[in-house]
Every structure is written in structure tokens, then in C-alpha cells.
Amino acid sequence: MNNYLDIFKEICAISRPSHHEEAMADYLCKFAGRRGLSHSRSANNCVVIRKAASPGYEDCEPLVILNHMDMVCVAEAGYDTPGSVTPIEYEENGERWMRANHTSLGADNGIGLAMALAILDDDSLKHPALEVLTTTCEEDDMSGAANLPEDFIKGRRVLNLDSEAYDEITVGSAGAHIQVARLPYRRIAMPAGYVAYEVEVNWGRGGHSGVDINSGRANAIKILANLLLVAIRQMNIKLYLVSFEGGQAYSAIPGEAAAKVVIPREDIEVFENLVMQCHEAVMGQYSQTDPKIEVTCEPSVWHSSVINEEGTHILLACINGIPTGPVEMRSDVEAQENNASCVLTSNNIGLVKQGKESFTVSSHTRSFSNDRLNGLARNIEQIFTLTGAEVETVMHVGAWQEDVEHPLIKLTMDVFDEVLHFRPRPVEMHFALEAGYFTERFPGIHIASIGPRIINPHSTTEHVSLTTADNIWQVVKTLLSKA
């Protein structure tokens, strides 16, 4: 019988970024096979493993334990983006923690998945019939949940182990709309009398574009685009892009961005001073949230071709015109008192990638109001399309709100009280959960979402409190026996 932390370390050794979860799905199927448990695998590599009810629990309503198998893979500048990581355990102020070195850890949602598998591995536990469902692409477009067959699960009570605030129970989540635009450009010969520079924004803290969107953290893509646009529009520097890239995931606040540009030789001093002023302004603005952030420029090698003036201006103006961070705050008293996030609507530019003939720019919109979600998403799409871009909707899921009076929610809160001697606070979180798809696809479903304390998910400083993970483990085992 494996401890859930032993299983988590096995999971960490498996590469599992969104859209590349085949190896993780293989692991889950083999896990079920070795234990003689029935399982199914969907076309999108989602896996459900079934375990019969313990003696005496045969007449209880089945319980679904939900997690996702993918992780957001980000790394600090100079380090490879992880597919697999080596967890590091340590103690701080009397509390046990786990992190990775210079990369995201994947405790979101690997810890919850490890607990679910440990339940399947332990025949001494008392529980109703179980369906352990593990989805794919939750951190990207949620296509795993969106495309589940309607008969993939039978249970209508769901315990989701994908929350990140130990003293809370998630009973609602914002809707989300992810769209990507492909902004075309063409190349021209590098003008005579020009010199090349590499301009970078590095060491931003990054973070989860839902959980951390109200923290005031820097968006490196936005900072870099604004800097270069100021050079063109206010300093009258006839600047051309050679390249522009930033960010590592749709759902992460980008901590790094880099561009190669060419400028007239006579504007070197003005441009270097502008970059220095930008660095000082950014250091001042983000001294509390991103203390290591820096904006730098260095002379670069000569380039035979550059992006034409129109292509340069379109990309920079488009990024500048799309909002990032909170767009509208919740004003109702209940939200102020009972919710971890008071952001109503937000947006994040998480990724800019360059192809041979176009830039790909992502926009991740979130809102507790479906009307505002759809309205802001349409506005951003119009900004894209006015530039001649092709726009693709990657994901759209509506907001979800659970009935806090449902017996599953009450039972979960009662078990917290019994085991940990406090009642978790019911909250609606400003990030999308697969619950939005499940409530649409499986009528009558009810979901309670809990989890250990995970700090800075989706970032290189992600760490999980093992002290709270152990406590959640005790809550889950007790809840199973009472379900």
C-alpha cells in the first residue's frame, strides 16, 4: 500500500503538460490494472477508475473523486521548462512544505490525484462505490472535461480535490473564455543605418491568472509591448521588431518576455535611456509584488530582415489595447464578506509566440457574470479582428455556483469540523473549474471542492504545505466513511 506522497513523487516523474498527458494516462490505466480495478479511457485520455463499495456501503449513493492529470509547466529564465520535476521537502516555521527547483511543482493538481489513487490502493478504507475521474487539459482548454462521453461516469456527487486554500470549500467558480489570435506580418530588409538590440523583461513573479490576478503582479508581455510602443509613439523612434515572445501558458501571468528590435543608430542614447527609465519605473511600481523584476537591453547581432512597420505596430498596439488584470470588481456585500476573490471580471495575456508569418497572442477572460464574460471576450475579439487577425476560441465555460445547502456540502463542512475543529469558509473562486462543464453535461450533479494550501500555483515559486495536505487526507478518509 502506497502513501499518497509516495504516489505524488511517482506522478512528478511523469511528463504531463496539457495536451501531452498520454504517459500519465498510461500510468493510471496500469495502476488500475495492477489492482484489478475496472477503468475506461476517453478519446481525450481522460481516465476513470472504478472501485466497488466496501461491505455495508453497497446501498450508498456512488461518489466521484475528481482531479486533473496535467500541470502548468513553467521555469525561471535559463532553466528548461519541466515536464517532470524532483520534489524537495523542507520545514519552515514548524510547517512542512514541498517545492521544486526553479520550476513549477505540479501540486496543482498532482497532490489531489495522488490522494485519490491512495484511496484506490487502500482496501482498509470504508467508502461507497467510487469513480476516480482524472481529466486532461484542465490547465489549458478543458477539452478533456468538455468532450467526456455522457455515460463516462454514473455518480452525481463529486468530491473535487483541486482547491488550493486549505480553510475553504469551493462552491462556485468564474466562467472563462480563452481565445488566441494570429496576427500576420511580413518581413522586409533591415534598413541601412540601423542597429539591433535585445530587450527583455525578466524575473517577474508570474502566478495563476485567476488566483493571483488581483495581486498587482507584473505582466511582462504588457510591460515590454508598452515600452516599445512608447519608443515609437512618444520618442519618435522608427523602431522595427525582429522578434517578440513571452509567457509560457495561457493561464499563467507571464513573468518573462523578450524582443529583438532594430533602431536608427542616432537614437541609441535615447533608446537606452528610455529602457533605463522603464526599469526604474517598473522596479518602483512592483517592488512589493515582483521584487526581482528587471528591464534590460543589450546590443544584438545584425539581422538581415525585420518585421515591417505595419506588423510591428499592429502587434504592439494590440497588446497595449487588450486589458490585463482586474477589469471590474464585485460590489455586492456577500462577495466582500464570503469570497476569497472580489474580482468580478478580469483578463490576462498569457502567451505570445512567433511563427514564420504571424504572431500568436492568447487572451484568457474570466468572470462570475456570463454576460460580462461574453461581452469582454467579444470586445477583445474585435480588437484582434480589426488588425486582420484570425481568432480561434480555445475554451469557453460558464460560471458555476453550487447549492450550499446540498447534503454533500454540509457533510464536507461537518467532517472538517469533526476532524480539524473548524468549518471551511464557502467561497466562489476567480478561476474556472471543470464544474462548469460537469453541471452542463451531467444533470443533477453536485460538487464540493477542497484541497491543501498551495502557494503560487502556475509559477516557479509554487509550493504546497504538506502539513495541510496531511490534514486534508484525514478529512477525505473520514468523509468517505460517512458518505
Side-chain angles (χ1 to χ4, degrees):
M1 181 178 67
N2 286 311
N3 175 278
Y4 77 89
L5 284 181
D6 295 331
I7 295 175
F8 177 63
K9 291 172 184 176
E10 290 181 7
I11 291 171
C12 285
I14 302 170
S15 179
R16 52 196 176 96
S18 302
H19 297 286
H20 299 281
E21 303 101 332
E22 295 85 356
M24 190 65 224
D26 289 343
Y27 170 87
L28 292 173
C29 292
K30 291 176 182 176
F31 186 97
R34 287 194 298 267
R35 290 155 181 81
L37 301 173
S38 68
H39 63 280
S40 299
R41 182 171 180 168
S42 75
N44 291 74
N45 287 313
C46 298
V47 176
V48 61
I49 304 174
R50 307 173 188 90
K51 188 171 185 179
S54 302
Y57 287 75
E58 295 88 350
D59 295 332
C60 295
E61 186 181 348
L63 182 70
V64 179
I65 303 178
L66 172 64
N67 290 281
H68 62 85
M69 65 182 79
D70 56 323
M71 64 175 282
V72 172
C73 298
V74 293
E76 290 179 357
Y79 291 87
D80 291 335
T81 302
S84 57
V85 297
T86 301
I88 299 170
E89 295 185 44
Y90 62 101
E91 187 168 318
E92 187 174 286
N93 297 326
E95 191 167 359
R96 293 167 49 240
W97 295 86
M98 181 182 284
R99 62 173 174 81
N101 255 336
H102 310 291
T103 71
S104 48
L105 173 62
D108 172 15
N109 179 217
I111 284 286
L113 175 55
M115 290 183 184
L117 297 180
I119 290 165
L120 295 176
D121 196 45
D122 189 349
D123 291 334
S124 71
L125 297 178
K126 304 298 183 183
H127 55 77
L130 298 176
E131 295 173 292
V132 171
L133 173 60
T134 312
T135 59
T136 54
C137 294
E138 192 271 353
E139 300 290 12
D140 188 79
D141 58 9
M142 296 192 184
S143 54
N147 292 288
L148 279 177
E150 293 182 359
D151 60 350
F152 205 65
I153 57 171
K154 292 183 170 33
R156 290 298 182 267
R157 297 187 304 163
V158 178
L159 178 64
N160 185 20
L161 300 179
D162 189 23
S163 289
E164 295 148 3
Y166 164 64
D167 58 350
E168 298 172 352
I169 176 171
T170 306
V171 294
S173 62
H177 184 97
I178 300 177
Q179 54 190 319
V180 295
R182 292 171 181 84
L183 282 63
Y185 66 80
R186 63 183 180 86
R187 289 194 174 274
I188 60 174
M190 178 170 167
Y194 272 62
V195 294
Y197 273 85
E198 293 187 15
V199 190
E200 297 184 353
V201 180
N202 284 316
W203 303 107
R205 191 173 177 183
H208 191 298
S209 64
V211 175
D212 301 313
I213 201 67
N214 198 31
S215 65
R217 296 182 190 176
N219 184 306
I221 291 172
K222 191 82 166 181
I223 290 172
L224 182 57
N226 288 351
L227 165 63
L228 300 180
L229 204 58
V230 166
I232 294 171
R233 292 181 174 176
Q234 297 183 24
M235 309 308 294
N236 297 315
I237 298 174
K238 197 166 184 181
L239 176 150
Y240 295 89
L241 283 173
V242 178
S243 64
F244 189 114
E245 293 200 338
Q248 299 181 45
Y250 297 153
S251 57
I253 299 170
E256 290 87 28
K260 292 182 181 180
V261 303
V262 298
I263 61 172
R265 190 178 301 277
E266 61 266 24
D267 290 326
I268 288 177
E269 184 176 354
V270 173
F271 183 71
E272 289 183 346
N273 285 338
L274 176 64
V275 174
M276 184 183 303
Q277 291 169 14
C278 179
H279 170 73
E280 292 172 353
V282 165
M283 283 289 292
Q285 181 176 353
Y286 299 106
S287 60
Q288 299 300 313
T289 59
D290 302 76
K292 295 182 180 180
I293 195 168
E294 61 180 17
V295 183
T296 62
C297 72
E298 295 289 342
S300 182
V301 297
W302 181 83
H303 294 277
S304 60
S305 68
V306 299
I307 294 169
N308 67 327
E309 183 176 7
E310 182 181 18
T312 293
H313 288 200
I314 282 175
L315 176 68
L316 299 180
C318 193
I319 295 172
N320 182 67
I322 294 173
T324 57
V327 174
E328 186 177 3
M329 305 301 288
R330 301 182 74 163
S331 58
D332 53 288
V333 174
E334 182 181 356
Q336 299 289 335
E337 292 179 349
N338 298 327
N339 287 275
S341 170
C342 291
V343 179
L344 177 66
T345 307
S346 72
N347 194 68
N348 180 62
I349 298 175
L351 195 66
V352 177
K353 290 293 183 184
Q354 185 171 3
K356 289 184 178 180
E357 297 179 343
S358 65
F359 290 100
T360 298
V361 182
S362 76
S363 173
H364 194 161
T365 309
R366 306 175 191 265
S367 183
F368 287 110
S369 163
N370 287 331
D371 288 342
R372 285 174 168 81
L373 173 72
N374 296 334
L376 180 56
R378 281 195 302 269
N379 291 342
I380 292 170
E381 181 181 6
Q382 289 173 357
I383 292 172
F384 282 138
T385 54
L386 285 173
T387 69
E390 296 179 0
V391 184
E392 174 190 358
T393 297
V394 175
M395 181 191 78
H396 182 90
V397 60
W400 157 66
Q401 188 171 34
E402 184 55 75
D403 175 10
V404 295
E405 298 299 320
H406 188 269
L408 177 62
I409 303 300
K410 289 187 171 182
L411 172 62
T412 304
M413 297 181 73
D414 288 344
V415 170
F416 264 84
D417 205 357
E418 175 185 337
V419 175
L420 302 179
H421 310 298
F422 72 87
R423 297 182 73 79
R425 186 165 60 111
V427 300
E428 298 172 11
M429 298 301 293
H430 193 73
F431 52 71
L433 289 174
E434 294 167 309
Y437 284 114
F438 280 93
T439 53
E440 293 175 359
R441 200 162 191 79
F442 302 101
I445 208 164
H446 291 275
I447 304 170
S449 186
I450 61 174
R453 182 179 295 117
I454 301 177
I455 308 297
N456 298 331
H458 299 194
S459 78
T460 58
T461 57
E462 177 187 4
H463 50 296
V464 58
S465 163
L466 298 183
T467 302
T468 62
D470 286 346
N471 288 344
I472 291 294
W473 175 233
Q474 298 304 318
V475 167
V476 172
K477 290 191 294 182
T478 303
L479 192 153
L480 290 177
S481 70
K482 296 177 178 290

